[in-house]
Amino acid sequence: MDMATDPSVSFWIAAIIATLFVGMSKGGLPMMAMLGVPILSVFIAPGKAAGLLLPMYILADVYAVWLFRHSFSKRNVAILIPAAAIGVVVGFVLVSRVPVEATKLVVALIGLGYLANALRSRLAGDYAARPADVPRGLFWGALAGFTSYISHAGGPPYQAYTLPQRMAKMTFAGTAAIVFAAVNWMKLPFYVLAGQLDWQSLTQISILAPVALFGAWAGYRVTTVLPERAFFVLVNTALGLLSLKLLWEVAEAWL
């Protein structure tokens, strides 16, 4: 069912909810991002859903970068953005050769692997922060750019690299906002070339734009009032749920 020919109330309700979640994820609640494309995919093809939501990501990114302009890690941004650019280019080149399910499986294993290692460290009493470093940053940043391009799933690789650094919640959220703002701008011309985003999308985009901005504002407000511990519990819980969800999707596709 194509969004240009589906004016149904159900489609617009789903589009508004998906866009709101995208905006909230950019306001500092990354756990909301995993809901956008699946909600819209009930009505339109997943590729089209990703294409429609990309401008919403970009619009919310602009506002989020302004919101977090004083709260981010300069070192992480300097390492991760160039690394992610490599991943985006590789994703564009390999998108027709790498099954989406394979990418989802990798992302799921990364998320679950990180959580298992974090649990092991906690049980062992190892609470030391791991500083940002270039070799790990290049690897995880490139992987985040690649998985973000293939399936809007750059969060788990990013979190696997940044969560062990134990940054303050606003610094963690601000760094993510700036890094993925750059990633989404990098993806835009490739999405246009791939036909996932076209001029017919402009009407829907113009209608949904205020929802994305409101979502970013709402997400930022929630982030500022959440206690530090509760914020990271939510981030880790969402990472686990996303990983399990991706594993389920892979199992459904392959079995």
Side-chain angles (χ1 to χ4, degrees), residues 6-252:
D6 179 30
S8 69
V9 174
S10 298
F11 165 78
W12 282 109
I13 291 174
I16 289 170
I17 294 173
T19 302
L20 179 66
F21 287 164
V22 165
M24 292 184 72
S25 75
K26 293 302 176 180
L29 299 173
M31 64 286 298
M32 307 301 291
M34 68 181 182
L35 302 172
V37 172
I39 290 173
L40 263 186
S41 295
V42 174
F43 297 92
I44 58 179
K48 281 291 187 180
L52 176 61
L53 287 178
L54 180 60
M56 300 301 100
Y57 276 105
I58 290 174
L59 183 61
D61 280 333
V62 174
Y63 186 34
V65 168
W66 182 81
L67 288 172
F68 289 103
R69 64 193 183 279
H70 300 306
S71 303
F72 65 95
S73 165
K74 294 181 181 179
R75 178 167 173 78
N76 277 303
V77 167
I79 294 171
L80 291 171
I81 289 180
I86 297 171
V88 168
V89 173
V90 173
F92 175 69
V93 172
L94 297 181
V95 67
S96 62
R97 299 178 176 86
V98 177
V100 174
E101 287 74 23
T103 303
K104 289 180 178 180
L105 179 61
V106 170
V107 172
L109 293 178
I110 288 170
L112 294 175
Y114 163 75
L115 292 174
N117 185 64
L119 178 61
R120 180 196 60 78
S121 297
R122 181 172 292 274
L123 292 176
D126 181 10
Y127 298 103
R130 187 168 187 176
D133 64 90
V134 173
R136 291 177 59 251
L138 290 176
F139 173 78
W140 290 113
L143 193 56
F146 176 78
T147 56
S148 178
Y149 182 86
I150 297 293
S151 58
H152 279 329
Y158 168 82
Q159 292 173 21
Y161 173 63
T162 54
L163 283 174
Q165 297 177 34
R166 303 190 185 281
M167 291 184 279
K169 66 173 182 179
M170 299 305 286
T171 304
F172 171 85
T175 303
I178 292 172
V179 169
F180 285 107
V183 169
N184 288 328
W185 276 105
M186 294 174 200
K187 288 154 58 174
L188 182 60
F190 296 123
Y191 269 51
V192 173
L193 287 174
Q196 290 176 261
L197 185 64
D198 54 42
W199 292 110
Q200 291 182 340
S201 307
L202 289 180
T203 300
Q204 285 79 14
I205 291 168
S206 64
I207 294 172
L208 295 171
V211 180
L213 293 175
F214 173 76
W217 174 84
Y220 181 78
R221 297 303 302 170
V222 172
T223 301
T224 57
V225 300
L226 271 178
E228 193 97 0
R229 180 177 176 81
F231 174 82
F232 285 107
V233 167
L234 283 174
V235 170
N236 284 322
T237 300
L239 178 58
L241 291 175
L242 172 60
S243 299
L244 293 174
K245 175 182 175 296
L246 292 174
L247 282 179
W248 178 261
E249 291 178 2
V250 171
E252 281 190 318

